[in-house]
Amino acid sequence: MPKRDYTNGLPDPAELKEELLKKYPRKVAKKRAKSMVTNNPAESKEILANVRTVPGIITQRGCTYAGCKGVVLGPTRDIINLVHGPIGCSFYAWLTRRNQTRAMEGDPNFITYAFSTDMQDENIVFGGEKKLKEAIREAFENFHPTSIGIFSTCPVGLIGDDVHSVARDMKAELGINIFGFSCEGYRGVSQSAGHHIANNGIFKHVVGNEDRERTGKYQVNLLGEYNIGGDAFEIEALFEEIGVTLISTYSGNSTVESFAYSHTADLNMVMCHRSINYIAEMMEEKYGIPWFKVNFIGAESTAKSLRKMAEYFGDSEMIAKVEEVIAREMLKVKAVAEAVKPKVEGKLAMMFVGGSRAHHYQDLFRELGVKTVSAGYEFAHRDDYEGREVIPSIKIDADTRNIEDLVVTKDDTRYREDLAEKKAKLEESGYEFKDYKGMMPDMQKNALVIDDVNHWETEKLIEFYKPDIFCAGIKEKYVVQKYGVPLKQLHSYDYGGPYAAFGGAINFYKEMERMLATDVWKLVDAPWKHEPEIVGCVTVDA
C-alpha cells in the first residue's frame, strides 16, 4: 500500500482514532479518547494525562522507583544509591540510561556499582530493616561515601519497612548524610511520581547544606539534563567558552556535593520540564533564584537558549561571545545539514518518549525537513502538552496526593533580593520566566497527540501513517523494527550520542542519514504476516 501524500498538510486522523477506540470496552474507550487529541495549534485543546494506565494494556511507562532512582539520582556519582528490595529492582535501574560522568582523579564514582539489600522471602515475612542497616554499614566500611540514599521498592512499602527511621538512625551512627525515598513502584501512575519524590528528597536533605564562595562572575544551574551519551559535556563546553560557571547539573555528570551549594547560582535553566520543574520552583521560593525553560536539542534551539541566557545577564561581552560562538558553530552545522537534508527531507517521524524529549527532538527533525506526524509522552502532565498556563486548572487526584507536598518558605538570610529585582525589571521589558508553552502549540495541525501510547495503538499508528522512523524506548524497539520501521531510542540513544548542542546536532544529522537514507528496512518482512498465530503443545511425563 503506497504512503499517504502529506504535501498539503496532515490528514484528519478521525478515522484512525475511531479504529483505535473500537477495540476497547466502552468505559476504557471513553477514557482513552480523552488522551488522544487531533492537534490544532490555533486552538486550546485539553488532553487527559498523568492518569493510571488501564490494567491489561501494554504501556511504555516505567514505575515510580525508576523515576526516582533510575532517572534523577542515578547519574549522580558521589552518592551510594542503595536499593532496598529484591535484586531485580536494582539491576533494572543499573546503567540502563547510559548516563556518563567525569570524576576527577581521586574523587568517588559509584555509578558503575549496583547496591542492593537483595531482599529474600525471609525479609518479606519478618521485615528487612535489620538487613538494611547491615547493608548501610557494609557500604560505609567499604566505600566511605559522604552520602547514602535509600530507595524503597514495592515489597518494602507493602511490608511497612520504615526507611526514613533507618536513615535517621544510621546518619546518627555514621555521621554522614543518609536519607530515604518512599518511591515504591506503585506509588504513582508513572515515573513522574518518582521524579517529584526525588526532587523533594534532594531539596529537603541536600540543597543549601553548604554555602560556597563564588567561583565565577555568572553562576548557573542546568536542571533536567541527564548526560545521556555525553549530552551535558557538549553544553558544559559552551558555557565554559562563553564565560558562565556551571555550579550544578541536575543530574547528569553531577555530585551531591554540587547540589549542596547549588542555591548559590544566579539562574536556573530547565531542560526536561517534567522531571525537574519542582526543584526549580522550590529554589525560587526559598532562595529567589529565577528560572526559565531552555532546549539544547537542535542547533537553532541551542542558539536561542544561549541568547536568552546572555540577555538575562545583560553583559555586552557575553552577548558578543555568544554570537561569535553561534556564528562559528552554525557554519559547521549547516555544512552537514546541507549534505544530509536532501536525502531525508519529507520523511515522516513519530515519537513517543519521555517528558520533554518528544517535544525537543521535533526541533532536530524540523532542521532536516522531517515531519512529525504523531507524538506523545509516557509520563507527562497536561502542562507538558498544553503549557504551564493550564496548571491552575489541573485537578489534584488521589495519586498525586500520595506525594508529599513540601511547604517551602523564604530563607531570610540567603534569599537573593537582587535576583528577584532583576527578574521583575526583565519581566517589565517582556522577558519571560517559567515560560514553557508545551508541545502541542509547536506541532502541525492534524498531528495526532497521544498520551501513554500502548502496543495496540502503536501498531495501528504505523499502519496508518507508515512512518520512516519511530522514536521511543527499548520495550518498543524490536516490535517496531519488525514492521520494517527503524526505531531510534531517545531514552538511551542506543549506542549513539551526544545529540545536544551544535556538535550533537551534527551527530544526529549523520545518524538520521544512516537510518533514513537506506532501503534496507524495506527488506524486513514481519514474521506474523505469514504465521500470525503461534501454536505449540506441552507434553508432561507422568
Side-chain angles (χ1 to χ4, degrees):
M1 187 174 178
K3 284 180 175 272
R4 293 171 181 266
D5 182 9
Y6 298 126
T7 307
N8 298 318
L10 300 180
D12 185 341
E15 174 189 336
L16 172 61
K17 285 176 63 177
E18 183 179 348
E19 184 177 3
L20 291 173
L21 295 171
K22 71 181 181 182
K23 185 83 170 179
Y24 300 125
R26 183 177 57 83
K27 287 185 178 180
V28 174
K30 184 178 179 181
K31 179 181 179 181
R32 283 304 292 156
K34 296 176 182 178
S35 294
M36 300 178 185
V37 172
T38 301
N39 194 56
N40 186 346
E43 298 177 6
S44 296
K45 292 192 174 185
E46 181 176 328
I47 188 168
L48 182 68
N50 193 38
V51 294
R52 294 181 184 183
T53 299
V54 176
I57 283 180
I58 304 175
T59 177
Q60 289 184 321
R61 285 174 169 173
C63 66
T64 299
Y65 156 78
C68 184
K69 193 273 180 184
V71 175
V72 179
L73 269 298
T76 306
R77 63 176 176 264
D78 64 342
I79 181 175
I80 284 184
N81 290 323
L82 176 58
V83 178
H84 188 34
I87 193 63
C89 297
S90 189
F91 186 80
Y92 167 64
W94 181 34
L95 299 179
T96 52
R97 282 170 56 84
R98 297 184 63 243
N99 308 108
Q100 297 185 13
T101 197
R102 284 177 182 161
M104 299 292 287
E105 187 174 349
D107 287 348
N109 178 12
F110 304 124
I111 287 180
T112 53
Y113 295 91
F115 296 97
S116 173
T117 54
D118 188 20
M119 292 181 75
Q120 302 296 314
D121 293 351
E122 178 184 354
N123 309 123
I124 301 298
V125 175
F126 297 107
E129 291 184 13
K130 180 180 178 181
K131 189 170 189 178
L132 175 58
K133 288 184 177 182
E134 291 172 352
I136 293 171
R137 290 189 187 100
E138 182 181 350
F140 179 75
E141 289 169 5
N142 287 329
F143 296 96
H144 308 290
T146 57
S147 301
I148 297 177
I150 307 168
F151 299 84
S152 301
T153 55
C154 292
V156 170
L158 293 172
I159 66 175
D161 275 4
D162 188 346
V163 299
H164 305 286
S165 174
V166 170
R168 288 191 295 269
D169 291 346
M170 298 310 295
K171 182 177 182 178
E173 178 181 321
L174 301 178
I176 64 171
N177 196 7
I178 302 177
F179 44 94
F181 297 92
S182 294
C183 56
E184 298 87 356
Y186 57 76
R187 186 168 287 270
V189 302
S190 71
Q191 301 99 306
S192 175
H195 303 151
H196 196 165
I197 291 165
N199 278 233
N200 286 350
I202 295 171
F203 193 78
K204 279 200 317 184
H205 299 290
V206 181
V207 175
N209 284 354
E210 182 181 340
D211 291 318
R212 193 178 78 157
E213 293 294 322
R214 293 186 69 87
T215 57
K217 188 176 180 181
Y218 303 111
Q219 300 188 149
V220 303
N221 294 320
L222 182 60
L223 279 58
E225 165 44 55
Y226 299 104
N227 203 25
I228 297 168
D231 278 350
F233 297 150
E234 294 288 320
I235 302 168
E236 288 169 13
L238 290 175
F239 287 171
E240 185 175 352
E241 183 176 0
I242 289 164
V244 171
T245 300
L246 181 62
I247 295 293
S248 184
T249 300
Y250 284 73
S251 50
N253 194 31
S254 68
T255 62
V256 166
E257 179 185 10
S258 69
F259 295 163
Y261 53 72
S262 60
H263 65 291
T264 63
D266 305 315
L267 172 68
N268 281 329
M269 293 181 286
V270 173
M271 272 277 283
C272 178
H273 175 261
R274 182 69 276 133
S275 64
I276 214 78
N277 75 90
Y278 315 100
I279 211 160
E281 291 278 16
M282 291 188 288
M283 288 178 77
E284 180 165 12
E285 185 74 24
K286 187 170 184 177
Y287 302 108
I289 306 171
W291 72 269
F292 56 71
K293 181 77 175 64
V294 293
N295 177 20
F296 289 100
I297 301 297
E300 295 293 344
S301 296
T302 297
K304 181 180 178 181
S305 296
L306 291 176
R307 286 179 173 129
K308 183 159 188 175
M309 178 181 66
E311 184 184 357
Y312 170 82
F313 287 113
D315 185 302
S316 58
E317 288 186 15
M318 183 192 293
I319 292 171
K321 187 63 178 177
V322 163
E323 293 303 325
E324 177 189 325
V325 169
I326 291 172
R328 181 193 71 213
E329 296 299 319
M330 288 301 283
L331 284 175
K332 302 175 190 175
V333 168
K334 287 180 179 177
V336 178
E338 287 171 3
V340 174
K341 190 173 181 178
K343 302 176 185 179
V344 302
E345 190 170 16
K347 301 284 188 179
L348 307 178
M350 292 172 24
M351 56 193 79
F352 294 90
V353 60
S356 290
R357 291 179 184 273
H359 184 190
H360 291 167
Y361 275 85
Q362 291 186 44
D363 289 351
L364 259 177
F365 278 119
R366 201 173 290 119
E367 290 171 6
L368 291 175
V370 176
K371 291 183 179 180
T372 301
V373 294
S374 183
Y377 295 128
E378 292 177 36
F379 48 76
H381 300 196
R382 274 185 58 204
D383 46 313
D384 300 297
Y385 288 103
E386 304 169 49
R388 288 181 60 84
E389 63 269 17
V390 306
I391 290 177
S393 66
I394 297 176
K395 296 177 181 178
I396 305 300
D397 59 15
D399 291 305
T400 304
R401 292 191 183 96
N402 279 337
I403 305 168
E404 181 183 11
D405 189 13
L406 294 187
V407 177
V408 180
T409 56
K410 180 179 177 181
D411 186 326
D412 292 326
T413 60
R414 297 187 288 181
Y415 188 86
R416 296 284 301 277
E417 295 289 356
D418 61 321
L419 297 181
E421 292 172 6
K422 182 183 186 71
K423 177 185 175 183
K425 288 180 180 178
L426 284 168
E427 285 181 321
E428 288 175 5
S429 65
Y431 193 97
E432 292 185 321
F433 293 89
K434 305 183 182 183
D435 54 336
Y436 190 40
K437 306 299 183 186
M439 180 175 74
M440 287 163 62
D442 283 346
M443 293 186 67
Q444 282 187 279
K445 184 177 180 181
N446 285 337
L448 184 58
V449 181
I450 304 181
D451 184 67
D452 186 25
V453 73
N454 59 53
H455 190 94
W456 155 253
E457 292 161 2
T458 297
E459 291 181 1
K460 289 299 166 185
L461 285 167
I462 291 172
E463 290 174 9
F464 182 83
Y465 286 110
K466 297 186 171 16
D468 298 287
I469 190 165
F470 196 108
C471 298
I474 187 63
K475 293 194 291 291
E476 302 78 50
K477 184 175 180 69
Y478 299 104
V479 170
V480 170
Q481 290 187 165
K482 286 174 182 176
Y483 272 96
V485 179
L487 186 144
K488 182 62 185 175
Q489 283 196 76
L490 292 184
H491 286 297
S492 65
Y493 297 172
D494 295 298
Y495 305 102
Y499 297 138
F502 302 110
I506 290 172
N507 290 340
F508 192 79
Y509 297 163
K510 293 178 178 178
E511 180 77 357
M512 290 305 103
E513 180 182 21
R514 286 192 291 268
M515 297 184 76
L516 294 174
T518 176
D519 291 329
V520 68
W521 293 101
K522 296 176 183 177
L523 305 177
V524 175
D525 199 13
W528 51 79
K529 288 183 180 178
H530 310 291
E531 298 180 37
E533 187 176 353
I534 298 175
V535 179
C537 61
V538 177
T539 301
V540 179
D541 294 329

